[in-house]
Amino acid sequence: MKSKVSLPLQEGEARPSRCPDNSAFKQQKLPAWKPQLTLASVLSSFFLIGVFCLSVGVCLTLSANSVREIQIDYSDKCSDCSKLRENSSNWNKECHCSVNFMLKEDILGDVFMYYGLQNFYQNHRRYVISRSDAQLLGRNVNIQKSYCAPFTTYRNGTPMAPCGAIANSMFNDTIDLFYNLNSSVIQVPLLKTGNSWWTDKNVKFRNPKSYNLSSAFAGTARPPYWQKPAYLLDEEDERNTGYVNDDFIIWMRVSAFATFRNLYRRVRRIRQFADGLPAGNYTFRISYNFPVTKFKGRKHVILSTVVWSGGSNPFLGIAYVVTGTAATLAGFVITAIHLKLRKKKTYFQK
């Protein structure tokens, strides 16, 4: 191996320079804007930011408070069905319960129905990754190589469709709403489609291609906790069944918190409900299928409206108010410090 030998410099020979070239870029002499922080600019910035954040925060808070919402916990009111569902051998037995409530005032505008779960942790790492996105795109893939285990195949080797823990634990209570008008009972028309995002049905989820959906799922089996296969999730609408079913898509969008709500239905604005839900007596009739007692969970039904800023979540408004208050107080503190120092300077000059 040859070593590099540096020859000594001859007398009068200049040592090579290691300095970068004398250019504007390499010498960092490019034109740049350097803000000059003066008292006027700093104080005006703090007060302007404070006024802006306080204004936006007050608007968001008032908007969130204008949302009409009613939340009903039916965990205890359906206790008999809950006990039945705790025994897995009763999976094929139907159980129904009813919950009565009253609206004192009209809920005008678009009304959305949500189901809420409490103490259900969807943010566990192994739970979050327990899915096969390639399978949900309708591709013929080997799910043994996915993260769906242990919900991949049955003992006889039949693959699950869809696979994974998220799909297997899908919320499957059926909730209907009835309006009690005098002596008659009117079922409130609910929309079960159009609740998911466009990108979900056209990009992230697709059914396998075949001449009919049942043959597309041939050779597969439903997840263990499901009561029917994927191609029968909606027997009335072929465009809302299989992997593109709205309820299934919304459930696959996991929550970051243990207490969450998912959109379930929208009130169809026709006949008596053209303006929303009129005041009066109502009844939720629930087909109870989703057990929550073992993990000490709770289940809710929420009826709510929305405004331009979203639902009844005051967090964003409070955050803006706190930020605006802090910026305004900082502006006053800086002003007080400046006046105090200026008085001292004037005193010493005299």
Side-chain angles (χ1 to χ4, degrees):
M1 182 176 180
K2 295 181 180 180
S3 59
K4 195 171 182 179
V5 181
S6 58
L7 298 175
L9 292 174
Q10 301 296 329
E11 186 177 351
E13 186 179 354
R15 184 182 296 273
S17 175
R18 294 185 179 181
C19 295
D21 296 338
N22 189 20
S23 63
F25 177 76
K26 293 188 177 181
Q27 293 296 337
Q28 300 183 10
K29 295 180 180 179
L30 291 173
W33 178 72
K34 297 179 182 180
Q36 299 296 328
L37 297 179
T38 62
L39 180 66
S41 63
V42 171
L43 288 179
S44 60
S45 298
F46 272 102
F47 285 119
L48 286 175
I49 292 172
V51 171
F52 172 77
C53 290
L54 284 173
S55 303
V56 174
V58 170
C59 292
L60 289 174
T61 303
L62 293 176
S63 176
N65 291 335
S66 66
V67 174
R68 295 292 311 281
E69 180 176 297
I70 179 172
Q71 179 171 313
I72 297 174
D73 187 328
Y74 66 95
S75 305
D76 297 329
K77 297 179 180 180
C78 297
S79 56
D80 293 338
C81 291
S82 178
K83 293 178 182 178
L84 180 71
R85 285 287 172 259
E86 291 304 319
N87 188 349
S88 58
S89 62
N90 297 325
W91 67 270
N92 58 344
K93 296 181 181 179
E94 294 186 358
C95 189
H96 302 271
C97 58
S98 299
V99 180
N100 299 319
F101 66 97
M102 183 180 67
L103 289 181
K104 296 181 180 180
E105 298 178 357
D106 296 346
I107 301 182
L108 302 177
D110 294 326
V111 182
F112 299 82
M113 180 189 293
Y114 301 83
Y115 62 84
L117 290 177
Q118 183 178 343
N119 207 37
F120 189 93
Y121 289 85
Q122 287 190 312
N123 55 5
H124 192 282
R125 183 184 64 85
R126 292 193 62 185
Y127 181 89
V128 171
I129 65 175
S130 184
R131 59 188 291 166
S132 173
D133 291 320
Q135 184 192 47
L136 297 176
L137 282 171
R139 299 172 184 170
N140 187 14
V141 295
N142 183 10
I143 59 175
Q144 293 285 4
K145 297 180 180 180
S146 67
Y147 293 102
C148 288
F151 301 101
T152 51
T153 60
Y154 286 92
R155 293 182 179 178
N156 59 1
T158 304
M160 299 180 189
C163 69
I166 307 177
N168 183 59
S169 60
M170 177 181 168
F171 183 87
N172 57 350
D173 282 1
T174 302
I175 306 171
D176 294 315
L177 180 60
F178 293 87
Y179 177 44
N180 305 315
L181 181 61
N182 299 327
S183 58
S184 60
V185 178
I186 304 171
Q187 184 171 4
V188 179
L190 301 174
L191 296 171
K192 58 184 176 181
T193 58
N195 300 325
S196 59
W197 299 339
W198 181 90
T199 52
D200 288 332
K201 283 205 168 187
N202 294 274
V203 179
K204 296 181 180 180
F205 296 85
R206 292 175 185 172
N207 282 324
K209 294 182 179 180
S210 183
Y211 61 91
N212 62 52
L213 204 56
S214 60
S215 63
F217 283 89
T220 64
R222 58 177 175 80
Y225 290 173
W226 285 27
Q227 296 176 329
K228 50 188 176 182
Y231 59 87
L232 294 178
L233 286 178
D234 189 349
E235 300 181 48
E236 300 175 359
D237 189 354
E238 294 182 355
R239 297 170 299 178
N240 188 46
T241 192
Y243 296 151
V244 295
N245 176 261
D246 274 38
D247 294 336
F248 173 70
I249 290 174
I250 292 173
W251 177 259
M252 295 299 290
R253 195 184 304 143
V254 296
S255 172
F257 302 100
T259 300
F260 62 93
R261 64 177 64 177
N262 284 336
L263 181 60
Y264 182 67
R265 296 290 185 267
R266 292 176 293 128
V267 174
R268 188 179 180 187
R269 298 176 63 176
I270 57 173
R271 299 191 298 272
Q272 297 97 330
F273 313 101
D275 297 325
L277 291 179
N281 296 316
Y282 289 84
T283 301
F284 280 125
R285 292 185 184 175
I286 302 165
S287 177
Y288 198 104
N289 298 308
F290 194 86
V292 295
T293 307
K294 287 187 177 180
F295 57 88
K296 299 179 181 179
R298 311 287 298 181
K299 293 194 290 187
H300 307 84
V301 184
I302 303 104
L303 293 174
S304 176
T305 59
V306 295
V307 290
W308 62 271
S309 60
S312 61
N313 188 353
F315 172 78
L316 193 58
I318 294 173
Y320 268 100
V321 170
V322 171
T323 304
T325 304
T328 306
L329 289 176
F332 282 116
V333 170
I334 294 173
T335 303
I337 294 173
H338 169 70
L339 293 176
K340 185 177 181 181
L341 293 177
R342 190 173 64 175
K343 287 181 180 180
K344 286 185 177 181
K345 185 177 180 180
T346 304
Y347 173 79
F348 283 117
Q349 285 178 350
K350 291 180 179 180

